[in-house]
Amino acid sequence: MNAILRKMAISFVLIMIWTVDVPAQGGLTRVSGNVKDIEGEVLPYTTIRLKNTSTGCITDYNGNFSFNARVEGQTLVVSSIGYQDYELALTSRTRYPLNIILKPTTYDLEEVVIKPGKEKYKKKGNPAVELAEEIINRKEKENPFNNDYVSRDRYETFVIALDNFTEEKQSRSMFRKFPFLQDYVDTSLVSGKPILNVSTRELAATDYFQRKPSRQKQKVAGRDWIGIEDFLPDEEVRASVEATLRDIDLFNEKVLIMRNEFVSPFADYATTYYRFYLQDTIVVEGDKCVDLAFVPRNLQSFGFTGHLYITVDSTHFVKWIQMNVPYDINLNFVEYMNVEQKFARDSEHPRLLTYECITAEFKLYDFIDGIYGRREVYYSGYRFNDEVDKEPFTHQELIIEPPEAAERDDEFWAQYREQDENATKHSKTKDVSEMLTKLRQVPVYYWTEQFINLLFSGFIPVKEERTPFYIGPVNTMISYNGLENVRFKLGGMTTAYLNPHLFGTGYLIYGLDNRFKYYGRLEYSFKPKKEQWNEFPVHSLRLQYEDDIYQYGQQYIYTNKDNALLSLKRLPDNMIGYVRNAELTYTQERHSGFSVTGVLRNRVNESTKFITMNRNDGSGAVNEIMQTELEVGLRYAPHEKFVQHKWNRKSKTPEHPVFTLNHTMAFQGVLGSDYSVQHTEFSYRQRLMAAPVGYFDVMLRAGKIWGQAPYPLLIIPNANLSYTYRKETFETMTPMEFVMDQHLTWDVVYYMNGLIFNRTPLLKNLKLREVLYFRGTWGSLSNQNNPNIDNSGNIFYYPQDRSKATGTVMKEPFVEVGAGVENIFKLMSINWFKRLTYKNSPDVDQWGIRIAVHLQY
């Protein structure tokens, strides 16, 4: 589970504990209705807005509108060019849907006369489209980042709060245990309703940009953070924010929000994707501006509805942008989301971003209140082609942050808060810290927080703060497989609070095969770590030893092999041998995305009652084989960023490519090796965005083995025996169904983001999403490695298992396809898979259903 979803889940669980009641009066209300003129003609693309706020929407082609808002005390304003504005005071007694009638008027706007009438939208001759195209055509010319070097200062504030924290909610039985919370209630800057801040952040930094080659750096002067999620690593929380309410460049073709790609209103093809309308004129900070409204042609597509406020002078300067994410798109957890940007200009640069605000409300289900989030950034001090701005690019780090940045006092922050008129509402760090201290003194909150920490991290700290050791992961303590039957595992790992350079990990394992197993790792990091051994960038020397089981044809790329949830299998899980593996590994990662790994490995594969090693010349069996290998690995992942977890880290930039190249070599008789083998493997992974029709996850892998080797050293495709879905595995294949010494493997998944369901009556209300799978592998086995052809006695017959196909000769690609439905209750997906080839292989599944539980935007 990625970090932002983890943080949301933590907050949602806490909210559900506190508020699993009928929603409080004064919560979000679905404001809906229809707009027509006095002749009964519907008025599409009419602006609907709460007075003096940015909350609202635009009517669709049929004049319908719908959005969520706090209505008590608000005034609804309905405006359309050529019609008189309509205002309606909203109360809790207002009944929806509303039927609104607009009266016509006629007026001129900068020599363009607009008259009411039934809309017949057309691009040709439309002054709104012409104005939009003019701005789009000159966007590159006016781009301030066309300079060789650009820098700017930023002051950023971020607030997460429990939304709608009314007096009624505070009086509920659960909150009576926390009477002091009323002392920390704040006010939403959007709706004016009460909120309870649970997390605050301030950031003071300087951003640096280089044109050629295109690079970005950031120097952090100060960072302050406190919140309910502070028992998670700072890196994880920081990455969560970057993955959600992140910097937005609207002048790009696409805008990435919530890991989804939206079409920008300034895209080259925007006038085809959006409808543009000239609305009214308003005065923005002393400049008379025309309101250019825009709306996607299809409200279910990933676009925005919003307004561009453009000066009416000859420069047509875009001064102010306000946008919403349409409610009708299939975007989980987001009740509303508003983006606001303001721009300034000087004599040479007509487009300097000075202010950005992203406000959102996240909600898991309608029967609970949500989470309010607001991120504001103030930009100032633009510099162009300054020699000083070259210096940050001499550093490897993308973010240059001295240790003292986290220790800034109020005097430091005061100089930045002066530019934020709402700074007193954002700077609640001390209040949140005091509130959390009091909360954790209440047992029900303390143990709830501890349980959630265990649930999502999987580790138990031996100390509440700055723990030197973690026990876990707990989801692997008891599991089941065909060789050991029940398997017990206990272990843990050290942290940087014990030693910032030296890290240890160890497990003791016992199965009902009556054999103790164990794993130990000692790693020295050349660079001190903040908490975990695998914090980016890794530069380390690691020594490890493993005595454990090895499951042939089952590789666990994204989870543990003894995850308890994988114990239930669709077929007997008995293609299992023993392995003793000693490794000395050197790893160096660089901020450029390039990393190198060198491994010296001694590996012993041991037979079991299931995994036999009978020589193919009939001369008998061997108990084990040994290989001493040297492996060199290269990895290139430009622009990659990570979310840090306790036991691993996860890339949060799947839209960027990852290339790997590994070569392993062993020579017979050298350091005990039984075979001379060379193995080369190449892989490529990337998420290919295809807005507005979804995105593709693509994996390609190819490999070849040179030399004669028995099946334990050959290439065995990855099969999934569980009923849960696993990435990059074959769902209808059996372990060791195929054995190869060269292969080409692919895994292509098409996530359609509701492309069909969103346009299907009835189904669209369920917000389901379609996903398609296309997987396959094509390989071969040379005669020298085929035990049915070679009779040298150097290789082994395949182990035979009547419940599975083993060692099938590959004469054509193995292909399986699948189709799935995601976003069931926002938590589940059900996927159906079918094999298209090798249907006549004995005892194989022709199709299968796999289930996954995961939160997804």
Side-chain angles (χ1 to χ4, degrees):
M1 181 180 298
N2 65 44
I4 181 59
L5 296 179
R6 179 177 306 183
K7 183 170 68 175
M8 286 175 59
I10 291 170
S11 301
F12 283 138
V13 171
L14 292 177
I15 294 171
M16 292 181 72
I17 291 172
W18 286 345
T19 65
V20 70
D21 242 341
V22 178
Q25 185 178 2
L28 279 179
T29 298
R30 178 68 56 78
V31 180
S32 63
N34 181 270
V35 182
K36 297 179 180 179
D37 64 12
I38 58 176
E39 297 179 355
E41 297 290 344
V42 298
L43 295 180
Y45 315 119
T46 297
T47 301
I48 314 291
R49 185 182 301 172
L50 297 182
K51 195 170 186 177
N52 299 323
T53 78
S54 59
T55 301
C57 66
I58 296 176
T59 59
D60 63 17
Y61 185 74
N62 296 313
N64 299 314
F65 66 90
S66 175
F67 65 95
N68 293 318
R70 316 289 189 202
V71 300
E72 190 71 28
Q74 299 282 3
T75 298
L76 186 72
V77 179
V78 182
S79 60
S80 181
I81 197 72
Y83 294 87
Q84 298 177 22
D85 284 357
Y86 173 91
E87 295 191 5
L88 175 66
L90 302 178
T91 70
S92 59
R93 296 184 178 181
T94 303
R95 294 293 176 261
Y96 304 96
L98 301 169
N99 293 308
I100 297 171
I101 306 297
L102 295 188
K103 297 179 180 180
T105 187
T106 301
Y107 59 91
D108 65 282
L109 175 63
E110 293 299 313
E111 301 181 354
V112 179
V113 179
I114 309 295
K115 294 183 179 180
K118 184 176 181 180
E119 193 218 28
K120 294 181 180 179
Y121 186 87
K122 60 180 181 179
K123 288 178 59 179
K124 187 175 181 180
N126 186 335
V129 173
E130 292 173 355
L131 180 57
E133 288 180 339
E134 176 192 336
I135 296 170
I136 292 170
N137 290 337
R138 68 169 193 256
K139 65 179 180 180
E140 284 304 317
K141 179 181 178 181
E142 296 181 350
N143 185 359
F145 298 100
N146 285 336
N147 291 274
D148 291 337
Y149 290 92
V150 180
S151 67
R152 66 185 180 190
D153 299 324
R154 75 157 60 202
Y155 170 60
E156 179 178 325
T157 63
F158 186 85
V159 171
I160 298 176
L162 303 186
D163 208 0
N164 193 34
F165 200 70
T166 61
E167 291 184 2
E168 179 182 347
K169 182 180 292 184
Q170 297 172 44
S171 65
R172 295 178 186 175
S173 58
M174 190 61 193
F175 279 106
R176 291 173 192 160
K177 297 179 174 21
F178 313 99
F180 52 85
L181 291 180
Q182 61 185 343
D183 299 331
Y184 302 97
V185 175
D186 202 350
T187 303
S188 166
L189 296 178
V190 174
S191 66
K193 296 300 180 180
I195 58 176
L196 181 67
N197 291 334
V198 295
S199 180
T200 64
R201 168 189 178 178
E202 287 183 282
L203 173 68
T206 302
D207 301 329
Y208 297 88
F209 303 86
Q210 178 181 283
R211 186 182 180 189
K212 292 182 180 179
S214 179
R215 295 191 293 172
Q216 296 184 25
K217 302 282 185 179
Q218 185 180 85
K219 275 190 174 182
V220 176
R223 189 192 300 275
D224 199 6
W225 190 298
I226 188 69
I228 62 171
E229 74 283 5
D230 67 354
F231 52 80
L232 297 175
D234 289 344
E235 291 81 0
E236 184 167 359
V237 178
R238 191 176 309 155
S240 302
V241 175
E242 293 173 354
T244 52
L245 308 182
R246 57 192 292 175
D247 290 353
I248 293 176
D249 186 352
L250 292 178
F251 290 88
N252 282 335
E253 293 294 292
K254 305 289 179 63
V255 178
L256 193 63
I257 296 179
M258 303 290 187
R259 301 192 185 280
N260 288 280
E261 205 172 41
F262 288 72
V263 176
S264 166
F266 298 107
D268 290 342
Y269 54 94
T271 56
T272 300
Y273 191 85
Y274 289 96
R275 294 175 184 258
F276 288 88
Y277 299 88
L278 285 171
Q279 298 287 93
D280 204 347
T281 56
I282 65 172
V283 177
V284 180
E285 297 177 349
D287 289 329
K288 189 177 182 181
C289 297
V290 62
D291 177 358
L292 181 62
F294 57 92
V295 62
R297 291 177 179 265
N298 187 321
L299 289 177
Q300 283 79 39
S301 59
F302 278 78
F304 303 97
T305 62
H307 304 264
L308 310 176
Y309 297 96
I310 304 166
T311 58
V312 297
D313 58 25
S314 60
T315 64
H316 289 164
F317 164 55
V318 179
K319 184 155 189 173
W320 188 24
I321 301 174
Q322 284 193 316
M323 308 187 314
N324 297 311
V325 173
Y327 179 81
D328 290 333
I329 68 171
N330 197 336
L331 190 63
N332 276 349
F333 315 119
V334 180
E335 283 294 288
Y336 70 80
M337 185 172 184
N338 176 265
V339 179
E340 179 181 3
Q341 290 187 338
K342 293 181 179 179
F343 296 86
R345 52 183 169 174
D346 59 27
S347 59
E348 297 181 6
H349 305 95
R351 195 178 79 221
L352 300 177
L353 179 63
T354 59
Y355 174 74
E356 179 177 77
C357 178
I358 305 177
T359 306
E361 176 157 340
F362 305 96
K363 203 171 187 180
L364 186 59
Y365 295 114
D366 289 340
F367 60 85
I368 61 172
D369 289 321
I371 296 175
Y372 165 91
R374 185 177 178 91
R375 173 182 176 269
E376 292 185 275
V377 187
Y378 296 83
Y379 297 102
S380 60
Y382 278 87
R383 296 188 302 274
F384 301 94
N385 301 319
D386 193 319
E387 289 294 321
V388 176
D389 293 338
K390 298 181 181 180
E391 189 275 335
F393 294 98
T394 63
H395 297 261
Q396 285 192 22
E397 297 87 347
L398 298 178
I399 298 178
I400 305 164
E401 184 171 348
E404 60 269 20
E407 307 296 333
R408 301 302 188 185
D409 55 18
D410 287 342
E411 183 178 354
F412 170 87
W413 290 112
Q415 60 183 318
Y416 293 95
R417 293 169 185 165
E418 291 176 356
Q419 60 186 308
D420 182 1
E421 60 184 8
N422 297 309
T424 56
K425 293 186 178 296
H426 288 297
S427 306
K428 295 288 184 179
T429 301
K430 288 186 177 180
D431 287 350
V432 173
S433 179
E434 292 172 0
M435 182 186 71
L436 288 175
T437 300
K438 294 179 180 179
L439 275 173
R440 287 165 181 161
Q441 292 172 356
V442 180
V444 66
Y445 177 87
Y446 173 81
W447 290 110
T448 298
E449 187 180 76
Q450 296 301 311
F451 172 75
I452 293 171
N453 188 9
L454 174 62
L455 179 66
F456 289 102
S457 73
F459 286 84
I460 303 172
V462 297
K463 184 181 176 183
E464 287 192 19
E465 296 183 3
R466 301 173 64 85
T467 181
F469 188 81
Y470 282 102
I471 300 172
V474 296
N475 66 343
T476 66
M477 288 184 174
I478 302 178
S479 59
Y480 179 88
N481 61 70
L483 178 62
E484 297 173 297
N485 294 315
V486 180
R487 170 184 171 97
F488 301 94
K489 178 178 175 181
L490 182 63
M493 64 181 184
T494 69
T495 73
Y497 299 121
L498 182 65
N499 189 305
H501 289 278
L502 197 61
F503 296 86
T505 302
Y507 302 107
L508 181 63
I509 303 158
Y510 182 76
L512 297 188
D513 57 347
N514 297 320
R515 176 165 170 168
F516 278 100
K517 307 164 195 74
Y518 50 89
Y519 171 85
R521 183 182 71 210
L522 190 64
E523 182 159 355
Y524 178 79
S525 174
F526 295 97
K527 180 180 179 180
K529 299 296 184 180
K530 296 179 181 179
E531 184 175 358
Q532 305 300 336
W533 64 272
N534 56 0
E535 294 165 4
F536 182 84
V538 172
H539 185 200
S540 68
L541 189 64
R542 180 175 70 232
L543 179 64
Q544 68 180 44
Y545 186 80
E546 174 187 25
D547 185 337
D548 204 350
I549 62 170
Y550 180 75
Q551 294 168 289
Y552 289 82
Q554 292 188 74
Q555 304 169 37
Y556 294 86
I557 303 174
Y558 300 104
T559 187
N560 294 309
K561 65 183 177 184
D562 43 14
N563 187 323
L565 297 178
L566 301 180
S567 295
L568 184 62
K569 308 284 188 175
R570 61 184 174 90
L571 290 173
D573 180 19
N574 53 18
M575 285 293 181
I576 304 176
Y578 294 118
V579 64
R580 301 193 303 276
N581 190 46
E583 292 184 0
L584 179 64
T585 304
Y586 171 80
T587 303
Q588 184 177 25
E589 296 177 331
R590 302 184 65 86
H591 292 275
S592 62
F594 181 80
S595 61
V596 60
T597 303
V599 184
L600 180 62
R601 177 188 302 114
N602 179 266
R603 179 185 178 94
V604 177
N605 290 74
E606 183 180 342
S607 65
T608 64
K609 60 182 179 181
F610 300 116
I611 295 296
T612 57
M613 300 182 185
N614 296 310
R615 295 187 182 277
N616 67 330
D617 63 353
S619 60
V622 299
N623 185 54
E624 61 184 34
I625 58 173
M626 176 187 291
Q627 289 290 97
T628 301
E629 305 169 337
L630 177 63
E631 178 180 349
V632 177
L634 304 176
R635 186 177 187 271
Y636 182 57
H639 312 295
E640 186 175 34
K641 295 181 181 179
F642 296 97
V643 175
Q644 184 69 44
H645 297 296
K646 294 285 191 301
W647 63 278
N648 72 348
R649 65 187 187 194
K650 182 177 180 181
S651 173
K652 68 182 186 71
T653 51
E655 65 274 12
H656 296 298
V658 177
F659 303 94
T660 64
L661 178 63
N662 292 73
H663 184 74
T664 304
M665 62 190 79
F667 301 96
Q668 186 176 15
V670 176
L671 298 178
S673 293
D674 291 323
Y675 296 89
S676 292
V677 178
Q678 307 262 344
H679 183 185
T680 303
E681 195 82 18
F682 170 81
S683 72
Y684 156 77
R685 292 175 176 85
Q686 187 175 10
R687 173 166 296 173
L688 302 177
M689 309 303 293
V693 296
Y695 60 89
F696 295 84
D697 278 351
V698 177
M699 185 281 294
L700 299 175
R701 193 169 66 247
K704 181 175 178 60
I705 290 177
W706 289 269
Q708 188 176 49
Y711 71 83
L713 306 181
L714 298 180
I715 300 166
I716 304 175
N718 194 11
N720 180 19
L721 289 186
S722 72
Y723 291 99
T724 60
Y725 168 73
R726 283 169 48 202
K727 293 176 61 177
E728 298 184 20
T729 65
F730 293 103
E731 306 290 347
T732 60
M733 187 184 288
T734 64
M736 291 192 65
E737 182 174 349
F738 303 99
V739 179
M740 304 174 286
D741 55 20
Q742 60 181 356
H743 77 105
L744 172 64
T745 300
W746 64 91
D747 186 344
V748 179
V749 186
Y750 175 29
Y751 296 92
M752 301 174 67
N753 274 352
L755 181 65
I756 298 174
F757 291 160
N758 281 357
R759 293 160 175 80
T760 305
L762 300 180
L763 276 179
K764 67 180 182 180
N765 296 325
L766 299 176
K767 293 189 177 294
L768 302 176
R769 301 174 186 171
E770 321 85 340
V771 58
L772 300 176
Y773 302 88
F774 178 59
R775 295 171 170 171
T777 185
W778 195 1
S780 63
L781 185 66
S782 60
N783 290 342
Q784 65 177 342
N785 291 324
N786 189 333
N788 297 318
I789 297 177
D790 179 87
N791 58 6
S792 64
N794 294 325
I795 57 178
F796 312 137
Y797 289 118
Y798 302 130
Q800 297 300 313
D801 185 340
R802 293 182 180 179
S803 65
K804 303 174 187 176
T806 55
T808 301
V809 177
M810 182 165 278
K811 297 181 179 180
E812 60 180 341
F814 174 87
V815 178
E816 70 178 17
V817 296
V821 178
E822 292 194 316
N823 209 36
I824 302 172
F825 307 118
K826 300 182 181 180
L827 293 172
M828 291 179 56
S829 67
I830 298 178
N831 304 288
W832 173 84
F833 292 90
K834 179 177 177 57
R835 63 163 58 197
L836 298 184
T837 56
Y838 298 95
K839 295 180 180 181
N840 297 323
S841 296
D843 303 311
V844 297
D845 291 336
Q846 300 295 325
W847 59 274
I849 293 178
R850 305 290 177 262
I851 299 174
V853 178
H854 57 98
L855 296 171
Q856 187 175 23
Y857 283 127

